[in-house]
Amino acid sequence: MLVWLLTLLVGCSQPGMVTPVREHQATPAELAEQALSQAAGSITPERQLLQLTAAELFYRAGKPQQALNTLQIIDSSGLPDDRYGDFILLFAELTLANEAFFETRDLLTNSRMTAIIYRLPLEQQTRWLQMRGDLFSLLGEDENSIRAYATLANLVDNKNTRQEVHEKLWQVLTHLSGPHLSSLLEFETDTTLLGWYNLVNVLRNSQGDVNQQLSQLEQWRTRWPTHPAVVDPPASLLALQQIANSLPESIAVLLPFEGSLAQAGKAIRSGFLAAWYEAYGYAAKAPVIRFYDTAGATDIATLYQQATTEGAQLVIGPVQRETVEQLIQLTELPVPVIALNYLENAALPIPDNFYQFGLSVSDEARQIADRAWVEGQRTALTVTPNSGWGDRALTAFRERWLEHGGTLVEAPAYGTAQSDFAPLLRPTLHITQSEERKTRLQRLLGKSLNFTPRRRQDLDMVFMVAYPDQARQIKPTLDFLFASDLQIYSTSQLYTGVQDPGRNRDLESIRFSAMPWTLPGAGHEKLQPAQDLQPIYRHLFALGIDAYHLHQGLPQMLLLPEIKLSGSTGTLQLDKRKHAIMREQPWAEFRGGRVKQAQQLKLN
């Protein structure tokens, strides 16, 4: 395309191209207008070629909307194959920039483009494959993304570029669910892809112990000596060797075991120890763990000093937000800290060696806003509780939704003991106004009317924050108030891993941000909370599992900030600017009273 444009700008005249005016150096935008003017008086195929040239010039001039408008009027059937490739790739690039992801998908899976792509120049092939890999990954079409990246890696000449593609491919592989990976291992016929699937499978089976993963990796290399992952391994695999000999041998865990947060602390400890015992079971080696009770500590800094004096090479905790804020007041943290909560005040200076990790409903709310926007929702109704975590979720969703450009309709916050949601939702949905109009008409006409109330028609979706018992009241109320067609999105508090088909039929079609450990086939059967553990604490058990695994995961993240690691609470990645380990959660939905994995969108 660049050669075409440069030739155009110096004034070469060919069919379907524009001759610039002689009086001055025409700008790309002026040339684009000239091309459109000439197209208006031309016939096929010159008209389409001139229109496409105009679109390319508008794009070069920094006018993407005009470029998109021009592409939309082109009858592309008359374009020759090479220019058709330019048309599809530019069109896809512009729709992707506009976040019209499903329109982009239609373009990149176009039957003509798919048929001709490998007859087109290599530059067009690589752009097409790169966009397909990225887009399919974002839309959760993991198998298609993996195939695109694998083909792309085979086309590129540069070793560094090929390794970067392999890293992207590897990150998609690590997101595969257990059942999906099992199916791919059973039915894949392409040997290169089969090698990738075997690799991610053997490393997943030893997740939690870097030394065990290295042993499995070496055995895999012996079986697949010429595989692309041996020749140009993903950077995250190379990182395993670099961190294996620098892992902490003694860990201090600061948790509350008395008072109001005692049950939370004990749930985290149970998950932490479950992961420790599993690692020790298959490696006969694990770090020494010492627990410290923060409930009675008047000065968290003193407890930190005690832990480090007693040999801790890593400190995990505390949980209470106020104690986390106390800890960062220290001018130095000679031993790294992974706090199990996030700082509320983002402006507070964060010392080196301090990292935040936890279960943030705010992060989930932002991810829901991102997903709903990608899926084409634009006007959201919010239904949230009158509580601290409800306020945090609403604030985060509101900020991200308005940032996208969406419209928000906020229902009044409900009380945590509320059981009848009709009085709260009826006015917000304008059912009350509809009924009042009926009453006025009956008075005016002096007779009864057949009448079905109508809700407001400007809503696309519902953002709901609720525990299961409340959600089982809210969803039927929305259905009763003529809002059954609205897609409901919710947070992970909606489901704590216990299938209850009878009661969960009231949650039908709700889509929610799920904890991986709760999904069928996604979690390790040995790392599950006790069935009698109260629902409010079950996610904290999973937090304990991930807290243990982070003693190995954090060094990998520090070495490679782009790396993403699969955890029980989500896919984990380090945000170095915030000194925070962020979670990206998978998606699920209720179908027939059961939880099913939903299409996964990669939004980060």
Side-chain angles (χ1 to χ4, degrees), residues 55 153 163 235 334 381 435:
Q163 190 174 44
L381 168 67
E435 291 170 339

Side-chain angles (χ1 to χ4, degrees), residues 25 44 109 142 204 384 397 423 468 477 479 490 521 587:
Q25 182 74 36
T44 300
T109 57
D142 291 337
R204 181 174 294 183
T384 58
F397 181 85
T477 302
D479 292 348
S490 192
W587 294 91

Side-chain angles (χ1 to χ4, degrees), residues 31-223:
L31 289 169
E33 296 292 351
Q34 290 179 37
L36 286 179
S37 178
Q38 292 183 30
S42 302
I43 60 173
T44 300
E46 284 77 10
R47 177 187 293 127
Q48 288 80 9
L49 289 168
L50 286 161
Q51 289 170 332
L52 177 54
T53 297
E56 293 168 333
L57 287 163
F58 278 133
Y59 180 71
R60 182 176 178 181
K63 298 179 180 294
Q65 190 56 52
Q66 287 178 259
L68 185 59
N69 293 343
T70 304
L71 290 171
Q72 289 169 340
I73 66 172
I74 296 175
D75 176 7
S76 60
S77 62
L79 291 171
D81 284 351
D82 61 333
R83 296 297 281 150
Y84 185 78
D86 291 332
F87 168 81
I88 289 292
L89 292 169
L90 180 58
F91 210 155
E93 195 169 321
L94 290 168
T95 54
L96 190 60
N98 282 352
E99 299 183 334
F101 301 110
F102 293 98
E103 185 177 356
T104 307
R105 188 192 185 284
D106 289 341
L107 289 163
L108 294 178
T109 57
N110 172 281
S111 58
R112 179 181 172 188
M113 187 67 171
T114 303
I116 68 172
I117 184 63
Y118 295 113
R119 299 198 300 269
L120 298 180
L122 183 62
E123 188 271 338
Q124 289 183 321
Q125 294 180 41
T126 56
R127 282 181 64 203
W128 183 75
L129 288 165
Q130 181 71 66
M131 280 197 282
R132 281 170 65 96
D134 294 347
L135 182 70
F136 288 142
S137 174
L138 183 147
L139 295 179
E141 298 182 32
D142 291 337
E143 188 176 350
N144 287 335
S145 178
I146 290 165
R147 290 184 182 280
Y149 284 142
T151 306
L152 176 62
N154 192 47
L155 288 181
V156 297
D157 293 329
N158 184 276
K159 182 179 180 66
N160 290 335
T161 302
R162 189 161 53 246
Q163 190 174 44
E164 290 171 5
V165 175
H166 281 172
E167 182 63 30
K168 286 188 173 185
L169 191 159
W170 182 250
Q171 294 305 323
V172 180
L173 284 165
T174 60
H175 289 155
L176 288 170
S177 68
H180 191 187
L181 178 58
S182 297
S183 176
L184 292 171
L185 282 166
E186 183 177 358
F187 297 109
E188 184 57 61
T189 57
D190 183 285
T191 54
T192 297
L193 293 178
L194 190 59
W196 282 111
Y197 297 145
N198 272 277
L199 176 58
V200 73
N201 188 55
V202 298
L203 294 184
R204 181 174 294 183
N205 289 338
S206 55
Q207 184 168 313
D209 188 289
V210 170
N211 289 304
Q212 181 74 2
Q213 287 186 316
L214 284 170
S215 174
Q216 294 293 324
L217 178 58
E218 191 56 39
Q219 292 178 40
W220 178 87
R221 285 172 174 157
T222 301
R223 295 194 302 270

Side-chain angles (χ1 to χ4, degrees), residues 457-474:
Q457 297 299 300
D458 58 338
L459 299 174
D460 299 321
M461 59 160 285
V462 177
F463 170 62
M464 178 184 71
V465 178
Y467 286 112
D469 286 345
Q470 296 154 329
R472 293 186 187 108
Q473 300 296 322
I474 295 171

